[in-house]
Amino acid sequence: MAGEPQDDCLFCKIVAGDIPATIVRETPTTLAFRDINPQAPTHVLVIPRVHYPDAASLAAGDPDAVADVLREAGEVAAQEKVDGTGYRVVFNTGPGAGQTVFHAHAHVLGGRDLQRLV
Ligand code: 5GP
Ligand code: ZN
């Protein structure tokens, strides 16, 4: 069923506590933890606890969770003290865009000069 934990999903396993992660923030609906392969001094992933494969399907199935993820991205940036210098929130969607884990997640990147993308 949409939103239910998936046995083969890495991030569902992190939500369940079956795989360890360096957690920086938790809410009843979200989890934020450090990326295992950081691309910037601050590189935190914010995920909904519910399983949807990407941001668009999360938005369609559980819009409140999208708001929670984005609010938490801002809270992470403030906690990491990158809100003043600027940070980027990224949702890779699809393999062609570099998505490798198919549980919706926001990358929060900051702490270095981030070149303009678009
Ligand atoms: P995507 O490529 O799907 O946009 O992002 C997935 C991210 O998850 C990658 O940046 C990757 O480094 C990170 N990642 C993959 N496996 C693990 C893991 O076991 N633990 C943590 N903390 N991050 C992971
Ligand atoms: Zn999942």
Side-chain angles (χ1 to χ4, degrees):
M1 205 171 86
E4 294 300 312
Q6 301 293 304
D7 289 342
D8 58 351
C9 174
L10 175 65
F11 288 176
C12 283
K13 288 179 182 155
I14 289 177
V15 169
D18 294 340
I19 290 179
T22 305
I23 292 168
V24 298
R25 287 184 62 84
E26 280 190 78
T27 74
T29 57
T30 66
L31 204 56
F33 54 90
R34 296 201 189 280
D35 196 292
I36 206 167
N37 181 24
Q39 302 301 308
T42 289
H43 188 171
V44 172
L45 302 174
V46 183
I47 71 172
R49 290 181 187 270
V50 291
H51 177 95
Y52 284 86
D54 56 35
S57 59
L58 179 67
D62 192 343
D64 287 350
V66 176
D68 294 345
V69 166
L70 286 175
R71 189 182 317 107
E72 276 300 293
E75 293 294 339
V76 165
Q79 187 173 304
E80 296 278 310
K81 299 188 168 46
V82 295
D83 51 337
T85 46
Y87 62 96
R88 182 169 292 146
V89 181
V90 174
F91 293 92
N92 293 327
T93 302
Q99 188 178 4
T100 59
V101 177
F102 292 86
H103 179 128
H105 54 280
H107 296 256
V108 180
L109 297 151
R112 68 166 166 83
D113 185 34
L114 296 163
Q115 304 216 338
R116 190 175 166 140
L117 290 177
V118 288

